[in-house]
Amino acid sequence: MEKFIKVKNVLLTLLFVIMLIPVNSCHKDDNDKKQETSTVSGEWQFLISPNQSYHDTDTVHGLTYSDFKEGSSSYSEIYLYEDKDQNIFGELWGYKINGKRNGNSIELIFYSYPDGPFNEDTPIKNMEAFTKMNLTIDEFGNMQGGGSYFEDPESEWTKIDSYFIDAKKLNNISNPNLKSSFKHILCEIASTFSSYLISTLTYGVFRPMASCYGHKDGGGFYAFGNEGPGSSFPIYTQTVYLAWEWSWCKVRKYDFRISLKGKSIGYEALKDEIHKMEPIFNLLKKIGFKDFDAFVNALDEFHDKYGGFALSAAYDTHTHNMSLYVNHEKGSSYDAKHDLLIEIIKAGLDGLCRNVSVYAGQEINDSWHMRRSDIGICNSDLIIFYLFGTNKVLYN
């Protein structure tokens, strides 16, 4: 009997060991899977929600910050790659990323491109740190945390604004390079948003100031150059400024400078060009001149008083307000602003928007409240239309 009990105990022990092996194997598989899903490398989606939010009190084109709602924004196509030393590299539309992982803690810094012609091959050492995030990755591979901005003395909001991050991995692609060009996206969206003013004024004829190379300027990009009229056409050209910054869906005030530059075309040649294009666009008739002779009489008087000049219109797709910029070489800016030529043009443009503001001078300053996240969803676009003039204009 005692021998039987010993055999029984041995068999029970053996059975227990046999049962334990698959259990341990299962735990090992779960751990391996958990380790695999928690790697940072892959394509991500980041949801940004406001924590602290700076509210400016300036009135811009009759509107203040309180006239605009704010809310969360979602960014996709964020590519991250974690190397064997837990260094993190990546990029997204308009930014490149560097970071470091320490266990479950992750630090990410987003770098913005320098002002000037946009080049996606710009090395990160030549870019500027824009925002920093401290995140924690959980057992399921998701990341949560918060972020703030590197302070810019000229931008008060960078001292206040902060946000929450909730990030999830979309797939395990381990390539830190974008799969689609930001320049392509920029130009595609800019062309879409520009359709209203362009189709209204030019029957849908699009005459870009420059080819779509993208020009970074402050918190956004000019899609088709930032100098009018550009090199291709002497009059009736367009560009689009797309506000684009890492943020939740929120407006901030953008300040612009519109500066008169050197001669683009002689005055008599300008009149010939306008006369040649009028049967195609009927622009003068649209903006209130009964015939070409009436326009030329008003234009001659304006040129005699104010010298070299350039007229531009800027239309904000978000507020539906417009500015008419009257850049001129000489004379009183007050008088130029109220000249008969300008009064007729302003009245003609007034039916295309909510409100038209007129500014005059060699150098003009203007501001707009613009949204700047979620490309194509939460962005404001400023469509700039170079009407006509003898001189070039730099938009900055």
Side-chain angles (χ1 to χ4, degrees):
M1 187 66 172
E2 185 177 345
K3 186 177 180 180
F4 173 76
I5 292 173
K6 288 180 179 180
V7 172
K8 180 182 177 183
N9 289 340
V10 170
L11 290 174
L12 288 173
T13 301
L14 184 60
L15 180 61
F16 177 76
V17 171
I18 291 171
M19 292 175 64
L20 190 62
I21 289 173
V23 173
N24 285 337
S25 175
C26 182
H27 283 309
K28 185 176 187 302
D29 289 343
D30 285 346
N31 287 336
D32 287 346
K33 186 176 180 182
K34 189 180 294 182
Q35 181 66 27
E36 180 186 349
T37 57
S38 64
T39 182
V40 171
S41 295
E43 180 187 0
W44 288 79
Q45 181 180 65
F46 278 46
L47 178 68
I48 308 179
S49 302
N51 180 13
Q52 296 186 80
S53 181
Y54 174 75
H55 299 174
D56 73 64
T57 57
D58 295 339
T59 299
V60 178
H61 292 277
L63 300 169
T64 63
Y65 179 88
S66 60
D67 293 311
F68 305 90
K69 295 181 179 180
E70 61 179 79
S72 299
S73 287
S74 179
Y75 290 78
S76 299
E77 277 208 54
I78 300 174
Y79 291 88
L80 300 176
Y81 173 73
E82 179 184 352
D83 68 16
K84 60 183 179 60
D85 297 318
Q86 295 190 309
N87 297 305
I88 299 171
F89 310 92
E91 61 179 304
L92 71 156
W93 289 335
Y95 291 92
K96 289 188 178 180
I97 305 168
N98 260 3
K100 183 71 177 178
R101 175 174 178 169
N102 183 10
N104 291 331
S105 298
I106 292 171
E107 178 183 277
L108 297 178
I109 298 177
F110 284 20
Y111 292 82
S112 61
Y113 287 86
D115 284 357
F118 177 58
N119 180 7
E120 289 175 298
D121 295 326
T122 301
I124 202 167
K125 66 181 181 180
N126 295 337
M127 299 172 69
E128 185 174 352
F130 183 74
T131 188
K132 178 180 178 181
M133 281 155 265
N134 291 299
L135 309 171
T136 301
I137 189 166
D138 63 23
E139 60 183 305
F140 304 106
N142 299 317
M143 293 190 291
Q144 294 84 30
S148 58
Y149 296 91
F150 289 90
E151 288 189 15
D152 178 352
E154 297 182 1
S155 300
E156 188 68 23
W157 63 271
T158 60
K159 304 174 185 178
I160 306 297
D161 279 1
S162 62
Y163 52 86
F164 298 113
I165 289 288
D166 189 359
K168 65 178 181 179
K169 188 187 293 186
L170 301 179
N171 58 58
N172 284 318
I173 293 174
S174 58
N175 186 342
N177 299 311
L178 285 174
K179 294 297 180 292
S180 57
S181 167
F182 176 64
K183 189 184 296 185
H184 172 76
I185 298 296
L186 172 69
C187 296
E188 187 177 86
I189 292 172
S191 298
T192 300
F193 274 105
S194 63
S195 61
Y196 168 75
L197 185 63
I198 292 172
S199 63
T200 301
L201 290 178
T202 68
Y203 294 122
V205 179
F206 182 48
R207 293 158 62 95
M209 292 181 186
S211 60
C212 186
Y213 62 86
H215 186 98
K216 171 73 163 52
D217 191 355
F221 296 83
Y222 288 95
F224 306 103
N226 67 324
E227 183 180 271
S231 58
S232 299
F233 306 102
I235 60 174
Y236 305 157
T237 59
Q238 305 91 26
T239 190
V240 179
Y241 182 84
L242 176 69
W244 173 245
E245 283 182 325
W246 179 263
S247 170
W248 61 96
C249 189
K250 176 190 176 182
V251 302
R252 77 164 175 88
K253 189 179 74 166
Y254 278 65
D255 297 319
F256 291 85
R257 182 177 295 114
I258 302 93
S259 306
L260 190 72
K261 296 299 178 184
K263 182 174 287 189
S264 171
I265 189 173
Y267 180 61
E268 294 303 322
L270 171 66
K271 289 193 289 186
D272 289 342
E273 186 69 25
I274 296 173
H275 189 259
K276 181 176 70 176
M277 300 305 295
E278 183 59 14
I280 300 172
F281 294 133
N282 289 315
L283 179 63
L284 302 180
K285 188 174 182 180
K286 290 177 188 176
I287 57 180
F289 292 96
K290 62 179 182 179
D291 54 39
F292 185 74
D293 289 340
F295 166 75
V296 168
N297 289 337
L299 191 66
D300 284 343
E301 289 184 12
F302 184 87
H303 183 250
D304 288 343
K305 291 178 184 176
Y306 308 108
F309 69 97
L311 305 183
S312 308
Y315 175 80
D316 179 16
T317 61
H318 185 64
T319 64
H320 305 293
N321 286 321
M322 184 183 291
S323 287
L324 177 60
Y325 303 130
V326 184
N327 289 102
H328 60 97
E329 286 182 327
K330 64 180 184 179
S332 162
S333 293
Y334 176 85
D335 291 342
K337 181 177 174 179
H338 296 283
D339 188 88
L340 175 63
L341 174 75
I342 306 306
E343 293 283 3
I344 293 175
I345 293 174
K346 177 183 182 297
L349 294 174
D350 198 47
L352 304 178
C353 59
R354 192 169 74 89
N355 182 60
V356 179
S357 301
V358 182
Y359 301 88
Q362 278 196 356
E363 188 171 278
I364 295 169
N365 295 308
D366 194 12
S367 299
W368 301 87
H369 276 124
M370 301 184 76
R371 295 189 184 275
R372 77 260 200 242
S373 71
D374 282 2
I375 279 193
I377 300 173
C378 184
N379 299 87
S380 295
D381 292 69
L382 196 65
I383 305 169
I384 298 173
F385 193 104
Y386 182 97
L387 294 168
F388 51 81
T390 59
N391 287 50
K392 301 173 184 176
V393 175
L394 183 67
Y395 308 102
N396 185 15

